[in-house]
Amino acid sequence: MANTVNIKIDGIDISVEAGKTVLDAAKELNIHIPTLCYHEDLCVAGNCRVCVVEQEGAKNLVASCAMPAQEGMVIHTNTHKVRNARRHVVELLLSEHNADCTKCYKNTKCELQDLASEMVINEHMFLDLVPEKNYTVDKQSSSIIKDDSKCIRCQRCVRTCHELQHVSALGVAYKGDQMKISTFFENPMYDVVCTNCGQCVNRCPTGALIEKNYIDQVWDAIYDPDTHVIVQTAPATRIALGEDLGMESGSIVTGKMAASLRKLGFDSVLDTDFTADLTIMEEGTELLTRLKKVLVDKDESVKVPMFTSCSPGWIKFIEHMYPDYLDNLSTCKSPQQMFGALAKTYYAQKRNIDPAKIVSVSIMPCTAKKFEAARPEMRDSGFQDVDLGITTRELAVMIKQAGINFQELPDEKFDSIMGASTGAAVIFGATGGVMEAALRTAYEIVTGREVPFENLNITAVRGMEGVREATVKLENVLPAWSFLEGVELKTAVAHGLTNAHQIMEAIKKGEANYHFVEVMGCPGGCIGGGGQPIPTTPEIRRKRAEAIYREDEGMEIRKSHENPEVQQIYKDFLGEPLSDKSHWLLHTHYHKRKRV
Amino acid sequence: MDKKLKRVDLIFSEECVCKDVLTTSLKKSNDDILKDILDSGLRGRGGAGFPTGLKWKFTAQETSEEKYVVCNADEGEPGTFKDREILSRVPLKVFGGMAICAKIIGAKHGYVYLRGEYQFLKAELEKALVEFHATIKELGFDFQIHILMGSGAYICGEESALFESMEGKRGEPRNKPPYPTIAGFRNKPTVINNVETLVYAFMICRIGTEKFMELGTTDSRGSKVFSISGDTPIAGIYELELGMSLEDFVEDFGDGDTKAVQVGGASGFCVPRKKFKDTIIGFEGVPTGGSMMLFNSSRSMYNVLKNYVEFFEEESCGQCTPCRVGCQQLKIGIEAVKKGEKSVHYLDTLQKLADTMKVTAKCGLGQSVANSFSSIVDNFKEEMIY
């Protein structure tokens, strides 16, 4: 049995595991202590001081988030002294904060505003410091806006960027009254190592870090009679969108989402799942081709392990941090970009629409997708392949703006073409999903049999462990793949860039010997993406992942190569995986970026 | 001229030879030395006054392959300049104190974290270190001292911020607990003592507990080095017995027109003339890390206070709300009252804010801003307004 300590909070005795904090213990008792800098995903900072409580016998108040529960401790969370102190702390934060709430993107979704409201702050106790501050707003990134006037210096973003993502694009600069959250040499976010992952946005308690929103541009396109506006929705949006519209975490809202998009006025409601399946065809074939070149042809110019390339946060990370490994990346574009390139070629031809009139919108769980869409190389259709990338959150805003009663909407289906999905495509949204989908298809291509896992569920690659490994032995392969007979296909999965860093270091040191590695930039994969509803916690991500796998199990078709529209596009348009046309539209290349 | 206060000559006494003390001490048992330090009642000379023997004992009790002894030479408190003098005159005693501590706690490495502005002391200290290392080698004791430079931030004198700085990180105080005795430098058990404390520990090993205890009071044993500045004809460094009354002090050091003494620097307390008689300098009264600033009637206490809050506003690390924003508010608050933009009642709001800072700030910096603020505003309210 674990060691426990006994403490008393507000007169109630509780026994908690040793090492738990006073805040943890209070939570177990359902005693609410306000917090700001505290976040379940991050190490304890103890710097905002909102969570102070009174400890009997202690001279000063203690920060409950940082104070370990100790035997015999007597804590009071609701005394006059505590209330006054918290009030002062919030008043101080407000005095440094640009509290022009009606002009803030986070209005009504701000943790500081919530606290101010709870404390009924009608007039400010202290002088306004904002006019003297010369705060700056950095709007230059395609993905993230950083507004220092809203910052409360809680350093959640700094800890996120450093601990979860191993990027450290954001850090603390200066001291005292000048102290601020900044970047290397205070360069704009677009010009530093920022991967645009948006994990900081997910954790910022105020409006200091927000996604660059394209809501008005999407409305303008919808209302423009001369345009044909199509929309694609990423796998992970359908299990998270409901959270921003009053539903529980883990609600599957695929049908309602399709219905709401139609109501918003999109001309065609399509699915990124289609190109997720296409990715599996292209990437799976690429993997097998690479393995042949390495194992049979002994071609040393071909690199393994091959890394997945669906996550634009991961792509930018490797471009900055491990440029020597760019040749290990699959050349496949991400599903969003494959979709974009096909929308203005294949789709335009099939539907007989002038591609110049198509506005291609994507709904993504991701902020890095905005940057990806704007990459100059993503114009293979002859136009910008994806015109506007918006997050799950932005879609929720549009649904509210349109007055749609989301929860009451009947389920509707996606349009066709480019709207067909499979279970394999859906699980792209969770860490390990691309690997599982790829294995389901690649194994079958090589052996002619289904993957040898019960009900197609490859549980070894599922879960929330930071790095997971799985080995699949290829036996009794088809004659065309005889070189793979007996090969143990070694795979690994990492999510969150700190884990990606860990796996890259192992590969660099020669300690890891994989054939295929899936990396997702965000914790939990796209379900925990930087564009998903706020808040995010391990528990919420677990529920979203469960929903993803429920959705997979409920699908009629669960293997990418069985997607009828995928089969059709190869027949009608692309020919075969890795064909010239595929290379032209579906594959790309990467760039070394500076590491500052 | 007859002086009221007893001058002491322990710290700078020339007769003591480092090697002799180390030879004797290294032969003694750890328990015996620890008992001496504990019995002596020696308390930290950096200002906070934690019993030195306890600090050593706690660290000694920890089981760890690595332990460290760190000498806090980041002397940055406004009005304090005694560590500089100690380091330049008797560096071997400082190192000796570190070696004795290292023996007791089981440390193989010691660090002197030297204030950035004391770069000029480094060459001489390194010379002394060569001599010191030769001595302990001769005595067969395995211990190395390294000198690390600070970069000029006041906050790095706070022990946990100092460790962060030593580890190459931004100097921000850590959450406590855990305390340094359990998790200090590199998260290993660490004793961190002020320069002067280490010398007194060394001197206790030299002169014995009883001799040390002859000086001072029950709560404040021994003597202390004071940095005396301001309106005094004899500014400088003096070693005096602890437990003196401020009245006697002013009689010795004042210029005849002393209206206030700031005891303990910007983070200390301001004592007005009417309280000199009842104020004891020591842990039972008003403690000090050594700074004694005298102000005569020509000085504006508003300017003195403004100078202090400006100092804190700039030297706060900025991480915790009460300190970062509180200091800014205190500064613009007293300015607004002085200009008549805020009524005199706003001083009460600021006093309450200072009280909150005292109980909510993450470290000693933010917690101690209220000391000077409240004592100056309380005692010199009219100077804040007119």
Side-chain angles (χ1 to χ4, degrees):
Chain A
M1 210 182 108
N3 280 341
T4 56
V5 290
N6 301 295
I7 73 167
K8 192 192 277 266
I9 305 182
D10 295 344
I12 312 167
D13 290 307
I14 180 170
S15 175
V16 292
E17 210 179 299
K20 294 260 182 185
T21 62
V22 171
L23 181 65
D24 295 329
K27 275 189 186 166
E28 286 186 30
L29 289 172
N30 280 324
I31 292 171
H32 171 69
I33 297 175
T35 55
L36 278 173
C37 68
Y38 174 83
H39 195 285
E40 266 185 68
D41 286 327
L42 306 172
C43 79
V44 167
N47 62 29
C48 77
R49 315 309 280 181
V50 163
C51 73
V52 287
V53 295
E54 204 168 335
Q55 179 192 348
E56 280 189 16
K59 189 170 58 148
N60 296 335
L61 299 177
V62 300
S64 58
C65 71
M67 178 57 76
Q70 290 159 53
E71 187 61 37
M73 224 177 209
V74 181
I75 298 288
H76 301 281
T77 72
N78 199 6
T79 64
H80 196 209
K81 194 173 170 185
V82 166
R83 191 167 293 283
N84 281 340
R86 286 185 191 157
R87 169 86 188 223
H88 269 145
V89 168
V90 171
E91 289 271 11
L92 288 174
L93 287 172
L94 287 171
S95 75
E96 237 188 359
H97 179 82
N98 168 11
D100 201 352
C101 294
T102 54
K103 287 188 202 141
C104 181
Y105 187 58
K106 289 290 281 295
N107 189 15
T108 74
K109 291 169 221 153
C110 167
E111 293 178 44
L112 181 63
Q113 193 183 43
D114 289 348
L115 270 179
S117 154
E118 191 179 299
M119 291 179 177
V120 194
I121 291 175
N122 295 326
E123 56 184 59
H124 292 316
M125 193 181 281
F126 302 119
L127 295 163
D128 187 5
L129 294 163
V130 177
E132 299 173 22
K133 288 283 183 184
N134 295 318
Y135 284 127
T136 52
V137 187
D138 173 9
K139 294 182 182 172
Q140 294 183 64
S141 153
S142 345
S143 296
I144 295 170
I145 294 175
K146 176 170 173 284
D147 181 349
D148 290 349
S149 75
K150 312 272 176 66
C151 176
I152 59 166
R153 285 88 163 162
C154 67
Q155 299 189 37
R156 276 192 197 172
C157 56
V158 175
R159 284 174 284 151
T160 300
C161 202
H162 177 70
E163 290 168 27
L164 297 181
Q165 300 298 69
H166 205 272
V167 171
S168 299
L170 293 170
V172 179
Y174 307 105
K175 61 182 166 58
D177 56 324
Q178 304 294 315
M179 183 268 207
K180 64 192 277 196
I181 309 305
S182 192
T183 53
F184 183 74
F185 269 90
E186 300 199 66
N187 285 339
M189 295 275 276
Y190 86 86
D191 200 20
V192 294
V193 290
C194 173
T195 64
N196 302 304
C197 73
Q199 289 301 314
C200 56
V201 174
N202 274 3
R203 288 172 184 79
C204 179
T206 66
L209 286 158
I210 55 170
E211 68 268 23
K212 181 174 267 184
N213 87 73
Y214 297 100
I215 295 170
D216 286 342
Q217 287 91 323
V218 174
W219 279 127
D220 288 347
I222 288 174
Y223 289 131
D224 183 344
D226 291 333
T227 57
H228 179 81
V229 190
I230 62 169
V231 64
Q232 55 166 319
T233 60
T237 53
R238 66 205 65 201
I239 51 79
L241 175 64
E243 287 171 34
D244 264 357
L245 296 160
M247 297 168 78
E248 289 289 309
S249 303
S251 306
I252 300 174
V253 296
T254 317
K256 292 184 196 303
M257 180 174 71
S260 64
L261 289 166
R262 210 160 274 130
K263 268 195 182 296
L264 290 178
F266 287 101
D267 295 307
S268 197
V269 179
L270 304 173
D271 201 350
T272 317
D273 282 14
F274 163 72
T275 37
D277 281 332
L278 201 60
T279 300
I280 290 300
M281 299 306 294
E282 293 291 326
E283 201 166 284
T285 312
E286 184 186 356
L287 174 67
L288 295 173
T289 310
R290 280 193 194 220
L291 288 177
K292 179 169 180 294
K293 284 183 181 161
V294 171
L295 297 174
V296 182
D297 309 341
K298 310 285 179 201
D299 182 347
E300 285 178 7
S301 69
V302 175
K303 299 282 193 291
V304 283
M306 186 176 90
F307 302 133
T308 58
S309 56
C310 318
S311 165
W314 153 240
I315 295 297
K316 193 148 182 279
F317 181 78
I318 192 170
E319 286 179 331
H320 283 294
M321 308 291 189
Y322 297 97
D324 294 346
Y325 287 86
L326 292 181
D327 288 341
N328 291 65
L329 278 172
S330 162
T331 57
C332 288
K333 287 181 185 171
S334 72
Q336 166 179 275
Q337 292 308 133
M338 285 195 184
F339 192 101
L342 292 173
K344 293 187 182 178
T345 52
Y346 173 64
Y347 175 89
Q349 284 170 29
K350 283 269 179 187
R351 297 285 301 268
N352 200 19
I353 297 166
D354 176 4
K357 298 241 163 105
I358 293 178
V359 176
S360 178
V361 178
S362 67
I363 315 291
M364 293 286 141
C366 185
T367 48
K369 289 283 174 196
K370 295 171 186 283
F371 169 81
E372 186 188 41
R375 277 181 179 246
E377 61 269 32
M378 295 298 173
R379 303 176 65 91
D380 288 326
S381 63
F383 306 91
Q384 180 165 331
D385 294 336
V386 174
D387 295 289
L388 298 163
I390 66 169
T391 58
T392 314
R393 292 190 291 267
E394 289 164 80
L395 174 59
V397 171
M398 292 182 69
I399 291 169
K400 287 183 201 162
Q401 286 176 337
I404 294 169
N405 187 347
F406 186 77
Q407 294 191 43
E408 300 299 317
L409 282 178
D411 286 352
E412 288 181 18
K413 298 228 173 293
F414 288 98
D415 291 319
S416 186
I417 49 175
M418 294 174 58
S421 171
T422 69
V426 169
I427 58 174
F428 262 62
T431 166
V434 174
M435 180 60 69
E436 183 167 349
L439 288 176
R440 283 182 194 173
T441 289
Y443 189 91
E444 206 165 317
I445 290 176
V446 171
T447 66
R449 304 183 304 276
E450 287 193 335
V451 279
F453 297 96
E454 195 187 341
N455 203 15
L456 299 177
N457 295 335
I458 309 176
T459 47
V461 297
R462 297 185 182 180
M464 289 294 164
E465 193 77 21
V467 174
R468 304 183 295 283
E469 295 177 336
T471 302
V472 179
K473 191 161 187 186
L474 301 169
E475 285 171 310
N476 300 322
V477 302
L478 294 172
W481 304 99
S482 59
F483 68 94
L484 288 172
E485 180 63 41
V487 166
E488 290 195 327
L489 190 66
K490 293 196 176 110
T491 68
V493 169
H495 62 117
L497 294 171
T498 295
N499 295 316
H501 162 77
Q502 194 188 317
I503 224 167
M504 289 306 294
E505 287 300 307
I507 289 168
K508 215 168 147 182
K509 287 180 195 144
E511 292 163 1
N513 196 16
Y514 306 119
H515 296 112
F516 189 29
V517 178
E518 177 206 295
V519 181
M520 290 295 155
C522 293
C526 305
I527 52 152
Q532 292 283 56
I534 297 171
T536 180
T537 65
E539 174 68 7
I540 289 171
R541 294 194 292 277
R542 195 183 54 72
K543 285 185 177 164
R544 289 177 189 165
E546 275 172 19
I548 281 270
Y549 291 114
R550 268 206 320 280
E551 177 85 338
D552 167 35
E553 295 250 18
M555 301 287 280
E556 256 173 65
I557 307 172
R558 296 183 57 214
K559 293 179 282 192
S560 297
H561 54 281
E562 291 177 359
N563 183 324
E565 288 192 347
V566 168
Q567 293 170 345
Q568 192 191 348
I569 194 174
Y570 279 116
K571 197 162 133 248
D572 296 354
F573 187 71
L574 292 170
E576 56 180 15
L578 305 187
S579 68
D580 285 352
K581 214 168 201 176
S582 288
H583 268 295
W584 162 39
L585 290 172
L586 308 182
H587 292 256
T588 185
H589 50 276
Y590 307 99
H591 305 275
K592 180 179 177 165
R593 291 174 195 271
K594 60 183 180 176
R595 201 177 171 167
V596 288
Chain B
M1 189 167 79
D2 262 1
K3 291 293 175 190
K4 289 245 173 191
L5 300 176
K6 183 172 172 185
R7 306 291 203 270
V8 184
D9 183 27
L10 274 180
I11 290 267
F12 299 110
S13 62
E14 302 274 333
E15 50 87 33
C16 146
V17 179
C18 174
K19 190 177 168 184
D20 297 347
V21 180
L22 281 177
T23 310
T24 335
S25 298
L26 294 176
K27 278 186 199 144
K28 279 174 111 178
S29 83
N30 287 350
D31 286 349
D32 285 348
I33 304 176
L34 202 50
K35 187 172 182 305
D36 284 349
I37 305 289
L38 278 166
D39 289 350
S40 73
L42 175 63
R43 294 170 69 165
R45 294 298 194 245
F50 191 82
T52 307
L54 276 183
K55 210 182 243 187
W56 292 17
K57 188 178 159 191
F58 292 153
T59 313
Q61 283 167 350
E62 289 298 311
T63 327
S64 172
E65 286 283 302
E66 276 172 67
K67 291 183 186 179
Y68 299 102
V69 49
V70 175
C71 168
N72 185 346
D74 193 41
E75 181 174 51
E77 187 62 44
T80 314
F81 40 89
K82 45 111 187 158
D83 291 342
R84 179 179 70 193
E85 193 73 3
I86 296 171
L87 286 166
S88 38
R89 284 170 59 185
V90 288
L92 289 175
K93 289 186 183 177
V94 181
F95 302 150
M98 291 173 75
I100 294 167
C101 174
K103 168 182 154 61
I104 291 170
I105 64 167
K108 297 233 176 335
H109 292 275
Y111 292 86
V112 176
Y113 185 90
L114 189 62
R115 180 185 183 188
E117 292 86 338
Y118 289 175
Q119 176 73 41
F120 66 92
L121 290 176
K122 201 180 171 203
E124 283 300 312
L125 281 175
E126 269 166 355
K127 246 190 248 170
L129 256 186
V130 173
E131 186 187 337
F132 170 78
H133 283 144
T135 305
I136 55 164
K137 197 176 171 194
E138 203 183 315
L139 296 173
F141 184 58
D142 177 17
F143 180 60
Q144 287 282 314
I145 292 178
H146 317 267
I147 299 171
L148 287 181
M149 295 306 300
S151 302
Y154 170 75
I155 189 60
C156 290
E158 195 280 342
E159 55 193 21
S160 62
L162 187 150
F163 297 141
E164 291 286 299
S165 169
M166 281 175 70
E167 291 170 12
K169 297 181 234 158
R170 181 181 162 85
E172 284 187 347
R174 300 173 180 169
N175 289 302
K176 289 179 224 168
Y179 292 96
T181 55
I182 293 171
F185 179 49
R186 295 186 176 135
N187 280 325
K188 302 293 177 194
T190 305
V191 163
I192 176 161
N193 281 141
N194 177 258
V195 174
E196 187 187 342
T197 314
L198 289 162
V199 177
Y200 276 116
F202 180 84
M203 289 312 293
I204 288 165
C205 292
R206 159 80 187 167
I207 61 168
T209 307
E210 276 165 28
K211 195 109 186 176
F212 181 79
M213 288 173 73
E214 282 169 11
L215 296 165
T217 63
T218 316
D219 286 327
S220 313
R221 293 289 182 199
S223 51
K224 159 124 204 53
V225 185
F226 289 88
S227 315
I228 298 165
S229 64
D231 295 318
T232 166
I234 46 169
I237 289 176
Y238 297 85
E239 185 173 2
L240 304 168
E241 186 177 3
L242 278 172
M244 63 198 173
S245 88
L246 196 52
E247 189 174 45
D248 291 347
F249 174 85
V250 170
E251 199 154 309
D252 274 13
F253 291 96
D255 62 356
D257 182 28
T258 308
K259 84 167 169 188
V261 179
Q262 180 73 20
V263 181
S267 65
F269 294 86
C270 181
V271 185
R273 185 185 288 139
K274 63 183 182 224
K275 292 181 186 164
F276 287 169
K277 197 168 188 296
D278 300 324
T279 301
I280 300 294
I281 303 303
F283 299 109
E284 63 270 65
V286 183
T288 169
S291 169
M292 302 291 277
M293 282 185 266
L294 295 92
F295 297 109
N296 67 21
S297 57
S298 72
R299 307 291 164 187
S300 152
M301 294 314 286
Y302 169 81
N303 286 344
V304 169
L305 177 60
K306 195 173 153 214
N307 181 284
Y308 291 162
V309 287
E310 272 173 355
F311 172 79
F312 286 124
E313 181 191 41
E314 192 179 322
E315 292 298 343
S316 162
C317 77
Q319 70 162 320
C320 88
T321 313
C323 183
R324 180 188 68 249
V325 198
C327 290
Q328 296 173 59
Q329 287 294 351
L330 293 182
K331 191 194 89 177
I332 62 164
I334 57 168
E335 283 171 350
V337 171
K338 189 79 173 177
K339 285 186 210 147
E341 292 164 6
K342 278 277 182 185
S343 82
V344 58
H345 302 298
Y346 193 61
L347 287 175
D348 299 335
T349 304
L350 295 177
Q351 289 273 40
K352 284 182 192 151
L353 170 61
D355 291 344
T356 292
M357 290 166 70
K358 192 172 199 138
V359 297
T360 59
K362 185 166 174 176
C363 82
L365 194 163
Q367 290 163 11
S368 61
V369 174
N371 296 346
S372 52
F373 189 86
S374 298
S375 55
I376 293 176
V377 171
D378 273 346
N379 291 308
F380 300 95
K381 202 167 213 165
E382 71 290 350
E383 292 195 38
M384 299 300 120
I385 304 162
Y386 305 112

